[in-house]
Amino acid sequence: MFANILLSWPCNARCPFCIGKSLNSQLNQNNLSLFPLKNIDNFLQILIDKGITEISLTWTTTDPLLYQYQTELVAYVRTRIPQAKISLHTNGRLLLQQKDIASLYDRISLSLPSFDEITYHHMMWVPGVLDVQTIIQQINVPIKISCIVTWDTTNELPFFIQHCKALGIKRLTLRMLSHDMTNRETYIDPQKLWWKYLRMFANNPVYDFDWLEVTLRNFQNSQISCINLYSSWLISNNYLLDQA
């Protein structure tokens, strides 16, 4: 079981598949300049009572690196839950400008749709491609890459996966869009690639590809317990954010 602290509005990317666009507008309130966050004490008390220590700073409609009080929030969470493992979920566009702040986290999940500039622009609606190699070299925090898989990116997957491995990435998640019910093997077939099956995580298969751990995630099929603190104040225990 884990927990999400959700941030909202505005963003430095304009992803057309942004999950926040499907949420009730009352759940998305601009909290990027707010500290303490609404209902944070009740939220943390729930985590303490349930023994939850895995906490993610993530988003519905923005990127967490735009939050003005990351340092204060991380320190406050660690004061209340000293054993907390805090992860940052980000599009990474500000990582190199915030290296000191990034080092405060235990893990970073980097949302990256492509290494190709044209595809990246099509998926993010902003120019440029992340310099992942420099990010890895300059930020001494374990980095996982999380990649949205759609028909637009299917043809690039072999190169994308090989490049992640070449960069020294140890964990990669290939995730389908929230309501995409396409069979995973339609996009990528692990058996044809001779990937070694390792285990199931939250009802999602995990494979080994020459020491690169690859998870194929389908949100609709995922079975996992989660506590969410929305930017409005609402606390929910639904893993799918649009079912709050």
Side-chain angles (χ1 to χ4, degrees):
M1 194 169 191
F2 71 101
N4 288 320
I5 298 174
L6 301 166
L7 299 167
S8 295
W9 298 111
C11 192
N12 54 1
R14 303 192 302 276
C15 307
F17 48 79
C18 177
I19 184 63
K21 295 178 180 179
S22 66
L23 301 185
N24 185 319
S25 60
Q26 293 181 347
L27 294 175
N28 291 324
Q29 298 183 11
N30 190 334
N31 60 349
L32 296 182
S33 59
L34 183 64
F35 183 82
L37 295 172
K38 293 180 180 179
N39 218 12
I40 185 68
D41 285 319
N42 288 334
F43 173 73
L44 293 177
Q45 189 59 54
I46 291 173
L47 304 193
I48 292 169
D49 293 342
K50 292 182 176 294
I52 298 173
T53 58
E54 301 285 338
I55 304 169
S56 298
L57 186 63
T58 183
W59 71 85
T60 56
T61 59
T62 189
D63 188 85
L65 290 176
L66 291 167
Y67 180 53
Q68 297 179 25
Y69 296 100
Q70 292 175 75
T71 301
E72 292 83 352
L73 177 61
V74 170
Y76 187 65
V77 171
R78 295 197 191 281
T79 298
R80 294 289 307 276
I81 307 177
Q83 68 274 37
K85 300 295 183 183
I86 305 175
S87 62
L88 170 70
H89 290 209
T90 175
N91 62 31
R93 294 180 64 83
L94 294 175
L95 270 176
L96 291 176
Q97 294 97 307
Q98 297 190 22
K99 290 183 287 187
D100 291 341
I101 292 177
S103 68
L104 299 175
Y105 297 95
D106 298 293
R107 292 185 293 270
I108 293 174
S109 179
L110 183 59
S111 183
L112 178 67
S114 177
F115 290 107
D116 178 81
E117 185 172 356
I118 294 175
T119 304
Y120 184 92
H121 184 272
H122 178 71
M123 298 288 285
M124 304 279 287
W125 286 11
V126 286
V129 177
L130 291 185
D131 185 352
V132 178
Q133 184 172 9
T134 301
I135 288 173
I136 292 171
Q137 291 171 345
Q138 297 190 11
I139 297 178
N140 190 28
V141 175
I143 294 176
K144 176 185 77 173
I145 287 185
S146 179
C147 176
I148 284 283
V149 177
T150 70
W151 291 114
D152 295 306
T153 61
T154 300
N155 291 336
E156 295 181 19
L157 278 180
F159 169 79
F160 186 92
I161 296 166
Q162 287 281 0
H163 195 52
C164 284
K165 191 163 74 72
L167 288 170
I169 294 295
K170 300 302 181 185
R171 296 176 63 215
L172 168 65
T173 294
L174 302 176
R175 69 186 199 274
M176 297 163 63
L177 293 172
S178 178
H179 295 287
D180 187 348
M181 298 304 293
T182 306
N183 189 293
R184 296 183 183 97
E185 285 70 26
T186 302
Y187 293 119
I188 190 164
D189 189 344
Q191 290 186 340
K192 292 182 179 180
L193 298 172
W194 295 95
W195 289 359
K196 179 183 176 182
Y197 172 79
L198 295 177
R199 62 184 180 276
M200 294 294 287
F201 172 74
N203 203 36
N204 295 290
V206 182
Y207 299 90
D208 171 74
F209 173 50
D210 291 341
W211 303 104
L212 172 63
E213 186 178 286
V214 184
T215 301
L216 303 184
R217 173 165 290 189
N218 181 312
F219 285 95
Q220 294 294 328
N221 293 337
S222 294
Q223 298 175 358
I224 193 167
S225 298
C226 178
I227 305 292
N228 298 308
L229 174 62
Y230 287 82
S231 58
S232 57
W233 61 265
L234 178 69
I235 297 174
S236 164
N237 61 359
N238 286 313
Y239 174 62
L240 298 177
L241 298 183
D242 57 358
Q243 293 183 8

